[in-house]
Amino acid sequence: MRTPTALLGALLGGAVSAALLVSPHSAQAARPEPPPPAVRDSGNGPERNEVASGVPDRAGAPRATTGVSAEYGYPRRTRLPVPPENPADAAIKLGLVPYHGIAPRLNDLQGRSDRVSAELIGSSYGGRDLYLVTVTAPESITEVREQARLRDRIENEPAVAAHDRGLAGRYKAPIFVNGNIHGNEWEGTDAALRTIEHLATSTDPAVAALLKRTRLYFNVTANPDGRIAGTRQNGAGFDLNRDFVTASQPEVRAMRQVMIDTQPVAMLDLHGYVNGTLIEPTTPPHGANYEYDLFITNTYANGLGMEAAVNGLGYTPEKDGVEPVQIPFRDSAEGWDDWPPIFTPQYAPFHGTVAAHTVEIPLRVNGADYTNLPVAELRRRSAINTDVAAAAIRATYGFVQARHDRLIADQIEVFRRGAAGEPSKAVPLGIVPGFGPEDVYTTTYPGAYVIPAGAGQRSVTAAARLVDHLVANDVRVGRAEHAFRAGGTFHPAGSYVVDMRQPKRGLANVMLEPGADISPKVSTMYDISGWSHGLLWGATVSAATGPVSVATEPVQAAAPTGSVPPGRGPLALRVGDAKEVLALNALLAQGVEMTWSGGTAIVPSSARAAARTAADRYGVAFTLAGQATGVPLAPVRVAAAASADELFTLRELGFAVTPVSTAVLNAGFDWSATDVLYVSSGLSHAALNPAARTALTAFLARGGVIGRGGTGAAFNAAAGLLTVTPVAGNPDANGVVRTVTGDGPVASGSPEHAFVYSPRWFTGLGAGVTAEQSYAAGGPLVSGHWRPNEDGTGGPEAARGQAAVVSGRDEAGAAVVLFGTEPMFRNHPKGLFAQVARALYWSASVSEAAVTP
């Protein structure tokens, strides 16, 4: 068993001022035996918002993400706009600060203290301001620029910074505290506000000394939409703490920019509710692209310090219902891992953070407890939770002050290894007590990745999107100034090169590499286990084993990709990427009369001007259509019983979508404005009342159906649509899979890889049913975690060669497509979005043609 007691002082590497760790309780609770292993807590709500009905479309664009400027001194005294009072704010019941109370409090503090600066860094999906508060000793503009220069040297000249013995003495160590990323885990916000006020107003010399050596950045509420509504997700229905390598949501893009701009050495992400308080580091598997020797040394040391601070509050199981702290790395074998970089503390290390933690405060106040418990008990619990979160913050800034120079040196070393192109470092066993062979994960970095231009690129629009995403994540990308060879392959000038000799090579690799099959290594995972921008975002990406010898120009944004051929005659737009879907839907919305043929839209010559506008706006390339013809294509109107991420993606692609569910249909639904029904969640054919079933049957006589997953397959069977036998794989399986594309009208031109989460496949295909896409016969799983069920069924071996996506026509002629894959999962697999769009276009156009006289 990993035990902490005698290690804390040694791991901290120095004394921490008692004044910085002062707490409202003086009793030191003795630590009993470790608690049971931490597991996923279903009371926190689903990991994915499965029912999207009721998720509103966004009324307008969010406030642009602004980041943290180095062009102003501190304090900045920005007067924050004050939102209208909202008596329905869910935080009020808990005795916590409602969202509308945050800005006035921060404005007041800025007026009373020269240590506090509050800024707007963007807005939420619902349009609410996001507040970043910086707490530090006053700095002139010259001093701010000097800090920016030192931060830039640490990242971009790490070898020089490592030999600058005076740098740590001049540099303020940045700390980032992220509160309330899950909206119904409220108290992180209140702990942050308490800490800000304490640091702003304290006359203690220890606090003044702290602020001369550090900057503390507080994202006060990362999810104001959820805070107000009392929901885990934001206003779009997204779990923001699953979005970091995708960055589909404005709140996440704001957090990403803060981490890039501030380069924190330590960060906390404040959550709830696990009793006893859960403090990372995590169980294996550990992310293979981190500099894990530096990370675990610092993260475990700070975890032990936070444990001491939280247990030192004096709360006990008998008196308060509060169990002692648990640290998954020490106290659990598996199930709370840091493998995927989708969580805030697992994303931050790629920007130099060497101590990053999720902290789960102990006492539940959400879900059924929020509804059923007396207000007095909820407020008692929230007060304790706020104390716990505040203690974790105090311990962390005390840790950073005590370990200031070493943390900066370790951040420099992270960037130095990347810039030097050193091999992945195997972490020595026993580097911290209990670090064993099961904790060792490494990777092999290529010399470079190439995203080719020209004929070698599957989709120039997808390539441009991927390049822009890499740049937005502060990954360095170059554009080749002339043709070159890499790994025996010729690449033309203009191809993109990601040289892996760069400070943030870990982030570049974790996005572009295929990933790993970790099924044999652990029996369970906390969340997804496989992802790959290189395989799932639609672009061709190749790895070169050695450095690429070619002169490159640094890329700030991908080169324009849109084009329309000169001359006259109709144009063709092959729908192989999300941008092409957007362009097509924009043209349809303008009333351009187009036809559809085998995955290609035919644009009449009369609409060439509109096509040129679409090419410029969306970066799509039109070609000459010649004599091609097809069935008439109109704007596709979708009724969607879908998860929130699917609803978001369909709307992002430009489709008109109306959310539906069993309840909506039973209340009476007008099908006249619907062309295709999309079913993946929240709709049970068996639970429909007679009137709803009659109306649905009438629609199915003329409209198309797209189904996904178990709900889609069950709907297909109940409605008597396609003759297939759905087979469910292991429900916990997920990852990137190899696929083989058939000759059907939907999957043709799709990438050779797909994403699965609780995979399904189809057997017993009836007459007229086509296998659009199948799992590779040689074995489907590329990366992720997919084991058979305990009875031996549902594993990847059983899926070999089986149909993953099928299409066909029912007896009435309606077009139906069923997906066993996850083409829109959390808005991530961008290269698969067009597959869904082609299904919608085909289903709508063919079904309409079947009933048109």
Side-chain angles (χ1 to χ4, degrees):
M1 180 176 296
R2 296 157 167 161
T3 55
T5 310
L7 304 171
L8 178 57
L11 285 169
L12 284 173
V16 179
S17 168
L20 293 176
L21 298 178
V22 64
S23 75
H25 302 274
S26 59
Q28 172 67 51
R31 178 178 171 81
E33 285 300 306
V39 295
R40 240 186 261 185
D41 195 341
S42 60
N44 279 346
E47 299 300 325
R48 179 184 190 192
N49 189 358
E50 288 292 350
V51 180
S53 59
V55 174
D57 201 356
R58 184 163 51 204
R63 182 192 300 272
T65 297
T66 57
V68 183
S69 172
E71 295 304 313
Y72 304 95
Y74 289 109
R76 297 182 174 178
R77 294 198 168 100
T78 305
R79 187 74 182 174
L80 301 177
V82 177
E85 186 171 332
N86 181 2
D89 189 304
I92 295 173
K93 183 177 182 180
L94 303 174
L96 302 174
V97 179
Y99 173 74
H100 61 260
I102 296 173
R105 183 170 295 200
L106 295 177
N107 284 338
D108 174 66
L109 274 175
Q110 289 186 101
R112 292 193 287 127
S113 172
D114 62 1
R115 298 170 174 174
V116 177
S117 298
E119 301 171 83
L120 301 181
I121 54 169
S123 62
S124 69
Y125 178 89
R128 296 180 174 93
D129 289 335
L130 301 173
Y131 309 124
L132 182 75
V133 175
T134 305
V135 183
T136 195
E139 298 174 26
S140 68
I141 182 58
T142 300
E143 290 170 320
V144 167
R145 288 172 178 165
E146 172 64 5
Q147 290 297 306
R149 188 186 68 80
L150 294 174
R151 184 170 58 250
D152 181 76
R153 172 173 287 185
I154 288 170
E155 178 188 348
N156 296 312
E157 299 178 275
V160 174
H163 290 92
D164 184 346
R165 294 188 177 182
L167 185 147
R170 305 192 305 275
Y171 186 55
K172 288 185 169 183
I175 304 167
F176 178 45
V177 178
N178 201 43
N180 200 201
I181 193 170
H182 289 149
N184 64 348
E185 298 166 11
W186 291 269
E187 293 92 345
T189 293
D190 296 80
L193 290 170
R194 178 190 294 180
T195 304
I196 292 166
E197 180 156 10
H198 169 67
L199 295 175
T201 59
S202 174
T203 58
D204 193 317
V207 171
L210 169 76
L211 298 183
K212 288 180 180 179
R213 296 267 283 167
T214 61
R215 282 186 189 165
L216 292 93
Y217 299 97
F218 296 85
N219 188 19
V220 179
T221 171
N223 184 0
D225 297 350
R227 182 176 186 83
I228 292 169
T231 60
R232 179 183 180 91
Q233 298 84 7
N234 74 338
F238 271 70
D239 185 331
L240 300 176
N241 204 38
R242 304 293 185 273
D243 191 43
F244 273 89
V245 292
T246 307
S248 68
Q249 300 303 299
E251 299 94 333
V252 170
R253 293 191 291 273
M255 286 181 269
R256 176 182 70 187
Q257 196 60 49
V258 167
M259 285 184 271
I260 291 171
D261 291 345
T262 65
Q263 211 166 285
V265 296
M267 74 86 56
L268 297 182
D269 201 28
L270 300 172
H271 288 257
Y273 299 93
V274 177
N275 195 5
T277 299
L278 183 147
I279 297 174
E280 291 179 348
T282 73
T283 68
H286 303 301
N289 287 285
Y290 304 125
E291 303 300 332
Y292 212 79
D293 58 326
L294 306 174
F295 180 80
I296 189 62
T297 303
N298 292 300
T299 301
Y300 191 37
N302 192 37
L304 293 173
M306 285 190 282
E307 177 183 46
V310 171
N311 287 345
L313 294 172
Y315 294 119
T316 68
E318 298 78 16
K319 177 170 63 74
D320 309 292
V322 176
E323 299 291 337
V325 167
Q326 56 184 311
I327 297 177
F329 169 76
R330 182 191 66 206
D331 298 331
S332 302
E334 59 181 32
W336 193 286
D337 58 86
D338 57 8
W339 181 253
I342 58 176
F343 314 110
T344 323
Q346 279 64 54
Y347 177 77
F350 295 117
H351 297 293
T353 304
V354 291
H357 310 260
T358 294
V359 175
E360 297 272 354
I361 54 182
L363 299 181
R364 179 177 308 286
V365 294
N366 61 7
D369 291 318
Y370 183 92
T371 302
N372 298 326
L373 288 178
V375 169
E377 172 60 13
L378 289 173
R379 294 187 173 188
R380 183 192 75 85
R381 293 185 178 189
S382 279
I384 292 173
N385 288 336
T386 303
D387 285 348
V388 168
I393 299 172
R394 286 196 305 274
T396 296
Y397 65 65
F399 169 78
V400 172
Q401 186 181 37
R403 206 170 175 128
H404 178 277
D405 291 8
R406 178 173 173 180
L407 291 170
I408 293 170
D410 284 351
Q411 183 178 83
I412 292 169
E413 177 64 6
V414 169
F415 295 141
R416 190 203 63 78
R417 292 177 188 177
E422 293 185 358
S424 177
K425 185 178 178 65
V427 183
L429 302 183
I431 188 171
V432 297
F435 193 94
E438 73 280 4
D439 291 302
V440 177
Y441 286 80
T442 59
T443 191
T444 300
Y445 294 110
Y449 286 98
V450 179
I451 304 171
Q457 180 52 252
R458 170 180 187 278
S459 170
V460 293
T461 55
R465 177 180 54 241
L466 179 56
V467 166
D468 286 339
H469 185 72
L470 291 169
V471 171
N473 280 274
D474 204 29
V475 171
R476 296 177 182 176
V477 182
R479 185 182 294 110
E481 296 180 359
H482 53 79
F484 63 98
R485 286 189 178 274
T489 302
F490 174 85
H491 298 289
S495 295
Y496 298 102
V497 178
V498 182
D499 191 324
M500 292 299 285
R501 294 168 299 183
Q502 62 171 294
K504 297 184 179 179
R505 57 124 180 235
L507 186 52
N509 205 52
V510 84
M511 290 183 173
L512 296 176
E513 70 175 348
D517 176 5
I518 58 169
S519 308
K521 297 196 173 186
V522 291
S523 63
T524 186
M525 295 288 291
Y526 184 82
D527 203 90
I528 64 165
S529 313
W531 63 92
S532 175
H533 300 67
L535 297 181
L536 296 177
W537 276 41
T540 302
V541 179
S542 61
T545 55
V548 172
S549 297
V550 64
T552 61
E553 173 190 6
V555 173
Q556 302 301 318
T561 55
S563 64
V564 174
R568 299 182 179 181
L571 300 168
L573 180 63
R574 175 66 180 166
V575 179
D577 183 75
K579 290 293 184 71
E580 287 144 4
V581 178
L582 269 169
L584 174 51
N585 281 336
L587 292 171
L588 288 169
Q590 295 170 42
V592 176
E593 295 182 355
M594 291 182 282
T595 57
W596 179 255
S597 177
T600 297
I602 311 301
V603 182
S605 181
S606 59
R608 274 180 166 264
R612 280 192 290 271
T613 300
D616 289 342
R617 181 174 181 182
Y618 301 108
V620 299
F622 291 84
T623 60
L624 294 173
Q627 301 301 312
T629 59
V631 297
L633 184 62
V636 180
R637 302 164 298 178
V638 183
S643 58
D645 51 352
E646 293 172 311
L647 178 63
F648 177 90
T649 301
L650 291 170
R651 286 172 168 167
E652 185 181 58
L653 292 172
F655 289 104
V657 187
T658 302
V660 296
S661 64
T662 304
V664 169
L665 299 191
N666 281 339
F669 181 72
D670 181 4
W671 288 98
S672 63
T674 299
D675 302 303
V676 179
L677 172 64
Y678 184 96
V679 181
S680 67
S681 179
L683 178 56
S684 169
H685 191 279
L688 295 175
N689 62 35
R693 195 171 299 181
T694 298
L696 173 62
T697 301
F699 166 76
L700 294 176
R702 65 167 182 84
V705 175
I706 311 297
R708 182 199 56 79
T711 300
F715 180 87
N716 172 78
L721 302 176
L722 298 187
T723 302
V724 296
T725 300
V727 181
N730 186 326
D732 289 331
N734 68 85
V736 181
V737 294
R738 301 178 188 88
T739 58
V740 177
T741 300
D743 296 326
V746 171
S748 178
S750 294
E752 296 176 350
H753 298 87
F755 183 81
V756 294
Y757 193 101
S758 187
R760 278 173 167 73
W761 53 92
F762 305 96
T763 62
L765 275 57
V769 179
T770 299
E772 295 274 352
Q773 195 172 49
S774 301
Y775 295 111
L781 190 62
V782 175
S783 59
H785 190 270
W786 186 354
R787 289 182 169 187
N789 296 312
E790 290 185 3
D791 63 2
T793 64
E797 295 297 315
R800 287 176 181 253
Q802 301 295 339
V805 182
V806 297
S807 69
R809 307 275 289 274
D810 71 357
E811 293 182 357
V816 180
V817 181
L818 300 177
F819 286 89
T821 59
E822 281 268 10
M824 297 187 288
F825 184 80
R826 295 178 181 165
N827 196 242
H828 180 72
K830 310 289 188 182
L832 306 180
F833 293 175
Q835 190 179 32
V836 178
R838 290 194 299 269
L840 290 167
Y841 294 136
W842 174 74
S843 183
S845 59
V846 173
S847 298
E848 183 65 26
V851 298
T852 300

